[in-house]
Amino acid sequence: MKIISKIIFIFLFFSSIFTNAQSFVVSNDKENILYLGVGNPLTAFVEKMKCGSFFLITDNGEITESENCRFIYYAKRIGTATITIIKVKGKDTINIGKSFFHVKEV
């Protein structure tokens, strides 16, 4: 898991050099495939934000927060899942970005 964290950090570092937008990443250990019927571990990072300052939501299932920028995703149906990173500022919900995953049976 440390290697994945280092790769994510390097990705965020270099992507922040070339763009003015806020960089983010949502990753899992199985590339972009999530599975129905089991808890799928996700890791999320947002440039210049602490782990507790953002949330993940989805259009296909449920996401529970674990610890240290880690989350568990439970799919509701086979197909695709959009994982959206949001932050709440006052009464506003700010969309930081979206990642797309395939959902398959185990």
Side-chain angles (χ1 to χ4, degrees):
M1 194 53 102
K2 289 182 181 182
I3 293 173
I4 292 173
S5 297
K6 288 179 183 178
I7 291 171
I8 291 169
F9 174 77
I10 291 169
F11 170 77
L12 287 175
F13 175 77
F14 284 111
S15 64
S16 67
I17 292 173
F18 301 111
T19 181
N20 291 331
Q22 189 167 17
S23 297
F24 70 93
V25 65
V26 177
S27 67
N28 69 343
D29 295 338
K30 297 170 182 69
E31 298 176 18
N32 70 336
I33 299 172
L34 302 171
Y35 294 98
L36 183 68
V38 297
N40 296 274
L42 298 174
T43 305
F45 292 101
V46 178
E47 179 183 32
K48 299 179 184 175
M49 289 185 73
K50 294 181 181 180
C51 293
S53 1
F54 61 86
F55 306 93
L56 299 184
I57 58 172
T58 184
D59 64 346
N60 178 4
E62 188 175 304
I63 299 175
T64 58
E65 191 170 354
S66 184
E67 59 183 25
N68 297 327
C69 294
R70 293 195 175 103
F71 301 83
I72 305 295
Y73 167 78
Y74 298 93
K76 184 168 53 174
R77 63 185 178 280
I78 296 172
T80 59
T82 302
I83 309 293
T84 305
I85 300 178
I86 61 168
K87 69 178 178 179
V88 177
K89 187 174 182 179
K91 294 183 180 182
D92 295 329
T93 301
I94 300 167
N95 183 347
I96 296 171
K98 296 180 180 188
S99 294
F100 304 93
F101 295 89
H102 298 286
V103 177
K104 296 184 175 185
E105 282 191 276
V106 178

